[in-house]
């Protein structure tokens, strides 16, 4: 099934530091994605986490060895 | 703003001819008016029939499983879903609401979330298209209308979810929690069964990996 891309798209000129750009390129390379795709996926995840945290949920990370939990705070 | 993503030719059993159905991303308010006008009354009536059947059961048979089975039997396991509310509370970057339209008639609806992670892949941040809700119009359900207007629209909508996953560089990965009565349907599509999920009302979780998604899309 071939779908048309949604037309409701807008462009953004984004200024990143050299280090940020390197990090973006590294992530894109690692995941086999374009830089735009990495940023779009990041935005979806951020939006989703933000909504869940606003709803009272907490985002925790667990260390695999010690099982120690730490809470991640979104700014 | 709504966008037409595709036009899909589907056989209409009432008219006995093919019809071009429009797949729309972000249907406008008029279509939710149509759902409330055309779907809700029929689904409520089906739910009422299920309730009457349930109340006539002996007390020992009045279980949650029996209630679910009766709702399925009468064709309305989703009568409590509020599609307008889902549209109004959409997270715009992560979620998309899609409709399959025959002119002004809404034939199927699906809500997807592109921010969820795969459960088949252990490495973090492998995103999928997660199908939050998918429903076909009441007249496309055999328990409600013996000769449905359109058949196979649920399967078609899952195909749309896989196609969006491909389009979004997610390799066809697609997951969902199934209502009890639909578990066999998703198994037949080739989705992996990852078991009951206590965090989602003990519903069973299914997921397509890229290979099974490709087999499904490419299959007959």
């Amino acid at each position: 099934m071939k779908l048309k891309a949604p037309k409701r798209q807008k462009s953004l000129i984004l200024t990143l530091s050299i280090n940020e750009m390197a990090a973006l390129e590294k992530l894109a390379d690692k995941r086999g994605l374009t830089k735009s795709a990495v940023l779009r996926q990041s935005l979806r995840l951020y939006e989703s986490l933000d909504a869940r945290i606003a709803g009272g949920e907490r985002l925790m990370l667990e260390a695999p060895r010690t099982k120690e939990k730490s809470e991640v705070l979104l700014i | 703003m709504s966008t037409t993503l595709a036009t899909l030719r589907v056989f209409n059993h009432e008219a006995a001819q093919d019809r071009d159905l429009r797949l729309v991303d972000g249907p406008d308010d008029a279509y939710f008016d149509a759902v409330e006008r055309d779907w809700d009354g029929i689904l409520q009536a089906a739910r009422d029939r299920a309730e009457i059947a349930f109340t006539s059961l002996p007390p020992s048979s009045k279980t949650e499983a029996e209630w679910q089975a009766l709702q399925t039997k009468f064709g309305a396991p989703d009568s409590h879903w509020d599609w307008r509310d889902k549209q109004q509370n959409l997270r715009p970057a992560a979620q998309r609401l899609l409709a399959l339209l025959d002119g002004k008639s809404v034939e199927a609806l699906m809500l997807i979330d592109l921010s969820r992670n795969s459960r088949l892949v252990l490495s973090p941040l492998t995103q999928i298209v997660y199908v939050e809700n998918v429903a076909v119009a009441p007249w496309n359900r055999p328990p409600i209308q013996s000769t449905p207007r359109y058949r196979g629209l649920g399967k078609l909508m899952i195909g749309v979810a896989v196609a969006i996953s491909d389009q979004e560089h997610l390799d066809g990965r697609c997951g969902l929690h199934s209502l009890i009565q639909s578990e066999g349907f998703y198994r037949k599509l080739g989705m992996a069964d990852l078991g009951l999920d206590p965090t989602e009302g003990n519903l069973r979780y299914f997921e397509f990996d890229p290979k099974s998604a490709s087999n499904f899309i490419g299959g007959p």
Side-chain angles (χ1 to χ4, degrees):
Chain A
M1 187 185 304
K2 199 75 187 163
L3 303 179
K4 290 176 200 159
K7 284 179 190 160
R8 42 183 182 171
Q9 292 183 339
K10 290 190 173 180
S11 297
L12 166 74
I13 296 170
L14 179 67
T15 305
L16 297 176
S17 71
I18 290 170
N19 287 346
E20 287 164 344
M21 181 59 90
L24 178 58
E25 285 172 344
K26 192 175 169 186
L27 275 172
D29 192 45
K30 183 178 167 189
R31 308 185 71 78
L33 297 171
T34 62
K35 293 192 280 286
S36 290
V38 170
L39 290 173
R40 292 175 66 206
Q41 288 191 7
S42 306
L43 176 61
R44 287 177 202 141
L45 186 60
Y46 192 98
E47 181 195 52
S48 205
L49 292 174
D50 188 52
R52 292 179 68 168
I53 289 168
E57 293 181 62
R58 294 163 70 194
L59 176 61
M60 312 294 287
L61 292 178
E62 184 183 84
R65 197 167 49 80
T66 61
K67 303 291 177 197
E68 188 183 337
K69 290 189 173 80
S70 54
E71 184 171 0
V72 179
L73 299 174
L74 294 186
I75 303 167
Chain B
M1 193 179 104
S2 69
T3 308
T4 299
L5 300 181
T7 302
L8 305 166
R9 183 150 289 194
V10 186
F11 189 75
N12 181 317
H13 291 268
E14 286 176 348
Q17 60 182 27
D18 284 336
R19 293 284 260 273
D20 287 333
L21 304 189
R22 212 155 54 90
L23 176 68
V24 169
D25 185 352
D28 57 38
D29 279 346
Y31 292 106
F32 294 94
D33 294 342
V35 167
E36 286 171 359
R37 187 186 60 234
D38 302 335
W39 290 31
D40 288 0
I42 302 173
L43 292 180
Q44 187 55 50
R47 186 189 165 90
D48 289 347
R49 284 194 288 278
E51 276 182 357
I52 291 166
F54 188 72
T55 48
S56 67
L57 290 174
S60 60
S61 299
K62 287 183 179 172
T63 61
E64 178 60 27
E66 192 58 40
W67 170 234
Q68 296 290 339
L70 282 170
Q71 287 185 92
T72 302
K73 181 181 171 189
F74 290 99
D78 56 337
S79 61
H80 56 293
W81 291 355
D82 183 341
W83 285 100
R84 191 186 294 278
D85 182 66
K86 292 180 194 303
Q87 178 220 20
Q88 287 171 345
N89 291 298
L90 213 59
R91 284 180 275 114
Q95 291 179 311
R96 290 164 71 175
L97 206 157
L98 301 134
L100 197 58
L101 307 174
D102 180 2
K104 291 179 178 172
S105 174
V106 181
E107 299 298 331
L109 288 167
M110 180 167 68
L111 175 64
I112 57 174
D113 183 341
L114 289 86
S115 68
R116 301 271 196 119
N117 286 339
S118 169
R119 297 186 181 193
L120 281 171
V121 180
L122 293 177
S123 68
L125 301 179
T126 300
Q127 289 180 337
I128 61 167
V129 169
Y130 177 77
V131 178
E132 301 223 13
N133 305 90
V134 59
V136 301
W139 48 85
N140 295 322
R141 304 178 187 196
I144 290 177
Q145 185 162 310
S146 56
T147 304
R149 185 181 300 170
Y150 292 103
R151 292 180 193 273
L153 295 190
K155 186 176 177 183
L156 183 68
M157 294 306 270
I158 298 299
V160 167
V162 171
I164 288 174
S165 175
D166 273 334
Q167 191 178 52
E168 295 290 338
H169 312 285
L170 305 177
D171 302 328
R173 293 184 188 282
C174 174
L176 53 86
H177 286 87
S178 171
L179 296 174
I180 296 166
Q181 58 279 358
S182 305
E183 290 174 357
F185 170 73
Y186 294 117
R187 265 188 215 106
K188 257 205 294 197
L189 297 186
M191 300 179 88
D193 177 352
L194 278 77
L196 299 174
D197 182 354
T199 66
E200 290 282 347
N202 236 16
L203 296 177
R204 197 169 283 278
Y205 181 76
F206 291 89
E207 192 173 310
F208 270 132
D209 63 20
K211 188 164 181 282
S212 57
S214 170
N215 288 342
F216 166 59
I217 285 280

